[in-house]
Amino acid sequence: MPDEEPHAIRIHLDRLLAERGMTLTELSARVGITVVNLSVLKNGRAKAIRFSTLSRICDVLECRPGDLITHEPERPA
């Protein structure tokens, strides 16, 4: 299996859940996505996310996509 391509996208689901006092299991139930799939997203291993999924997560967490996902490129030394 080839190595995953490196990317500069960061997911801030842990922070948003902590700020809202919500568990991944609760978010899963409210969004309608499995805990496993949310865990893949949370841990930065997701290769893609549907806009409908992103929209539901943002609705439940009362956030904007930019609160959940940021682009943090590495700077050359």
Side-chain angles (χ1 to χ4, degrees), residues 18-38:
E19 288 172 358
R20 284 145 181 83
M22 187 181 296
T23 65
L24 200 62
T25 302
E26 182 181 353
L27 180 63
S28 169
R30 292 180 63 184
V31 172
I33 299 169
T34 67
V35 173
V36 171
N37 284 339
L38 280 177

Side-chain angles (χ1 to χ4, degrees), residues 16-64:
L16 291 170
L17 288 171
E19 288 172 358
R20 284 145 181 83
M22 187 181 296
T23 65
L24 200 62
T25 302
E26 182 181 353
L27 180 63
S28 169
R30 292 180 63 184
V31 172
I33 299 169
T34 67
V35 173
V36 171
N37 284 339
L38 280 177
S39 181
V40 167
L41 178 64
K42 180 183 75 121
N43 293 316
R45 295 189 320 266
K47 295 185 185 291
I49 184 170
R50 290 187 173 128
F51 284 155
S52 59
T53 301
L54 179 60
S55 181
R56 288 194 313 266
I57 291 171
C58 287
D59 286 344
V60 170
L61 293 178
E62 298 178 351
C63 69
R64 299 174 73 171

